[in-house]
Amino acid sequence: MMSLPRAMKRGISVVSDAIFLLTALWLAGWLSGTLSLSAVLPEHSLGLITWLVVSLVVFYLLGLYRAILRYMAPQAVATVINGVTVSTVALAVLCWFLPLDDILRLTLCFAVIAVLLIGGSRWGFRSALQLKKQKTKSRVLIYGAGCSGRQLLYALQSGDEYKPVVFVDDNTELQKTTVCGLTVLPSELLEKAVERYRIDRVLLAMPSAGRGRKRELLELLSRLPVPVQSIPGMADLVAGHMKIDDLQDIRIEDLLGREVIEPDQHLLQANIKHKVVMVTGAGGSIGSELCRQIVRCKPAVLILFDVSEFALYSIERELNAVKRRFGYACVIKPVLGSVQQQKLLEQVMTNFQVNTVYHAAAYKHVPLVEYNMVEGVRNNVFGTWACAEAAIAAKVEHFVLISTDKAVRPTNVMGASKRMAELVLQGLASRQNTTRMCMVRFGNVLGSSGSVVPLFAQQIKAGGPVTLTHKEITRFFMTIPEASQLVIQAGAMAKGGEVFVLDMGEPVRIYDLAKRMIHLAGLKLKDKANPGGDIEIQITGLRPGEKLYEELLIGNNETKTEHSRIRAAQEQCLSWPATMLLLNSLDVACQSFDQQMLRQILLDAPTGFAPSSEICDLLFVSSLGNATVKKELVH
């Protein structure tokens, strides 16, 4: 019956109900002793057929044949009762023409039997379907028996994937009680509950819990041998972006447990609202999130500048969709180009009368910049210089450079180039007062193109191994939205030449992070202590230029700002003439592709550059190899 067309199913239901009505009438007559169908059928068959047709038409009009049996809700009982009531009234009218002594007794018996047959058949069929599906559903434990947990229970019970079997909750008033038919256990019995109830998955139903509390819970849940998922956050539920049963994997920001501070709206909008804003590297991880945050602050015009055609197309399309959805009035202008093209940048900033520039364009991947030193320096140093000079020429009011913690005592070319970019901006800030320039320095952002988190997730999904360069490596982490909001707020506080440092919280040991991600996927770590585990963590060795620990400050000279998570660092800087000498030397080295000269200039500059490896530039290494081959051929 499950594979039959819907029209045929309805036809079968109609025939079944006709049989049930006649059966109910026969049983009612037999039980009440007032009616014998065999006695009245020859003379009153037309009346019985009319009554039967009227009853079935009423059932149809009430929508009883539109309901899909397996999805029938409790409200369908009322529909059955209403239909049987009308059928009973029609029967009572018919009985006036029959030689009966006790019509009331007959109709009451009929009504009860008809409800039991018609309603009971449907609920019996529905129960049989559900019982069949219960065997294939995953058995889940819901952590949180509050309002969200109960809503999740109702949603899952009507679905085909999960079967909730028990609640766990920290609320002592709910513990050892029954909520919606399920027992509520304390968290101390969590591991025993997973084993006793044969749990396949744990669902965390606490959308309003803070990140600190979620981190505590996830520490507890990560010890379980089953996957852990959560329901969407309260903001997504309230906004209607997601439903209660849109289960999602544990987000890495929940693992880190960093509480988000609401942004200061005045600082957030100071350099953006009703102004013309430009973002370089607009299609990148940081640049695109900056654009998302900027659009919400209602600029007059937002200029997206990027060298990648596809990245630019993607972010423009996304932002235009956001505009239409929320009714934002800002104009979005996508511009293709490199940040090394100063004339193009100047023309864009002048033509559109740009007020604020967020310079996010940079090469950030440490090993790739090690392998491509010249292009890394050109893009990160000279690209920043060209962009800043264009801003000054176009009389841009504010210029914010997105910097990195790798600029602090750098061990790689990427970090040294970003520190050089900071020096360029500090020098330009001292040379003029037309454009207020500042730098915002922060660590790794979750979900960025260079983040380890999506890499670990892919490796775990593929069955491992998870690759890590060093067991003791640590990093600061922050979500992209939070980092972008803080960048915007820091830029609004600039007076000129400041290096702002974002409070990144406590550094995270990447090995511990990988272990948590493995456990929360319901898998076991494979190591010497547990050789029968599922996922192994392989240590591959530090890559060229990679540091074990990152820092945010060169010295200890920092001051507080009006924002609790933004500090201002007083870093060493150069006069503009001294900066120009460095830039000219760098330019010569880049023009001649002299990697040794390039490294020496970075070493001599006040960048704190202390390379952790020999020159790894691919062109430099290949030239050494060719020279060696030629020398061997000569000999």
Side-chain angles (χ1 to χ4, degrees), residues 327-579:
Y328 296 144
C330 76
V331 178
I332 295 176
K333 303 284 187 183
V335 179
L336 272 171
S338 166
V339 289
Q340 297 179 51
Q341 297 174 289
Q342 184 176 332
K343 291 296 181 183
L344 171 62
L345 290 162
E346 188 176 328
Q347 189 166 358
V348 171
M349 294 179 195
T350 302
N351 287 3
F352 291 108
Q353 297 181 314
V354 173
N355 302 111
T356 306
V357 172
Y358 294 97
H359 181 52
Y363 289 145
K364 301 183 289 291
H365 199 273
V366 169
L368 282 181
V369 177
E370 288 295 304
Y371 298 144
N372 300 272
M373 291 174 58
V374 172
E375 195 56 36
V377 168
R378 281 189 183 282
N379 196 65
N380 293 355
V381 179
F382 291 99
T384 299
W385 183 18
C387 200
E389 289 284 16
I392 294 168
K395 295 182 170 54
V396 170
E397 296 167 11
H398 299 275
F399 187 98
V400 182
L401 168 67
I402 312 300
S403 192
T404 171
D405 56 355
K406 293 176 177 60
V408 178
R409 283 182 275 275
T411 59
N412 50 69
V413 177
M414 193 282 279
S417 68
K418 292 298 283 185
R419 179 58 187 139
M420 275 297 303
E422 290 181 357
L423 289 171
V424 169
L425 223 59
Q426 287 172 311
L428 287 172
S430 66
R431 192 192 78 186
Q432 52 81 48
N433 53 18
T434 303
T435 303
R436 289 184 180 180
M437 297 186 167
C438 70
M439 297 127 273
V440 184
R441 190 187 287 164
F442 56 91
N444 297 271
V445 288
L446 299 169
S448 71
S449 57
S451 175
V452 297
V453 173
L455 173 62
F456 285 174
Q458 289 173 5
Q459 291 174 335
I460 292 170
K461 189 174 181 180
V466 171
T467 55
L468 183 63
T469 57
H470 197 285
K471 194 170 183 177
E472 298 303 321
I473 199 165
T474 64
R475 290 292 181 266
F476 292 101
F477 282 101
M478 181 181 284
T479 64
I480 297 180
E482 185 184 10
S484 300
Q485 289 176 357
L486 289 174
V487 164
I488 293 170
Q489 293 172 88
M493 294 188 289
K495 298 293 186 290
E498 297 96 337
V499 177
F500 290 109
V501 179
L502 304 187
D503 176 8
M504 301 291 295
E506 295 299 318
V508 177
R509 188 168 175 250
I510 306 300
Y511 185 81
D512 295 337
L513 182 63
K515 284 202 303 183
R516 284 185 215 154
M517 291 181 69
I518 291 170
H519 290 152
L520 287 169
L523 302 170
K524 294 180 181 178
L525 176 66
K526 182 179 180 180
D527 55 14
K528 291 181 180 178
N530 184 24
D534 304 300
I535 303 285
E536 180 186 5
I537 298 178
Q538 286 186 356
I539 306 301
T540 60
L542 290 173
R543 297 173 298 178
E546 192 171 24
K547 295 171 71 174
L548 273 181
Y549 310 100
E550 299 289 5
E551 306 165 272
L552 289 168
L553 291 169
I554 295 175
N556 296 317
N557 192 6
E558 60 170 319
T559 57
K560 293 182 178 180
T561 67
E562 56 188 283
H563 195 290
S564 61
R565 288 214 169 147
I566 302 173
R567 293 166 290 168
Q570 304 300 317
E571 305 282 29
Q572 180 185 3
C573 60
L574 299 173
S575 65
W576 181 244
T579 307

Side-chain angles (χ1 to χ4, degrees), residues 6 64 157 188 220 228 232 268 293 302 355 513 524 601:
R6 183 174 296 180
L64 197 58
Q157 283 178 334
E188 294 79 26
L220 175 67
V228 179
L268 208 58
Q293 299 293 337
L302 174 57
N355 302 111
L513 182 63
K524 294 180 181 178
I601 294 168

Side-chain angles (χ1 to χ4, degrees), residues 5-79:
R6 183 174 296 180
M8 189 174 293
K9 291 179 184 177
R10 287 178 178 174
I12 293 172
S13 296
V14 170
V15 173
S16 300
D17 286 345
I19 295 171
F20 289 145
L21 287 171
L22 290 172
T23 303
L25 180 58
W26 176 77
L27 286 172
W30 178 68
L31 290 172
S32 64
T34 59
L35 178 68
S36 172
L37 285 180
S38 59
V40 300
L41 268 174
E43 187 177 349
H44 299 281
S45 58
L46 182 60
L48 283 171
I49 293 172
T50 303
W51 162 75
L52 193 60
V53 171
V54 168
S55 300
L56 295 173
V57 169
V58 168
F59 286 175
Y60 175 80
L61 293 176
L62 289 173
L64 197 58
Y65 302 123
R66 290 196 299 271
I68 299 174
L69 290 181
R70 62 182 140 166
Y71 299 130
M72 280 186 67
Q75 291 84 348
V77 175
T79 304

Side-chain angles (χ1 to χ4, degrees), residues 587-605:
D587 187 42
V588 171
C590 289
Q591 292 286 354
S592 58
F593 280 87
D594 190 334
Q595 290 89 349
Q596 288 179 308
M597 178 182 177
L598 186 61
R599 170 179 275 209
Q600 193 58 50
I601 294 168
L602 293 175
L603 284 167
D604 294 338

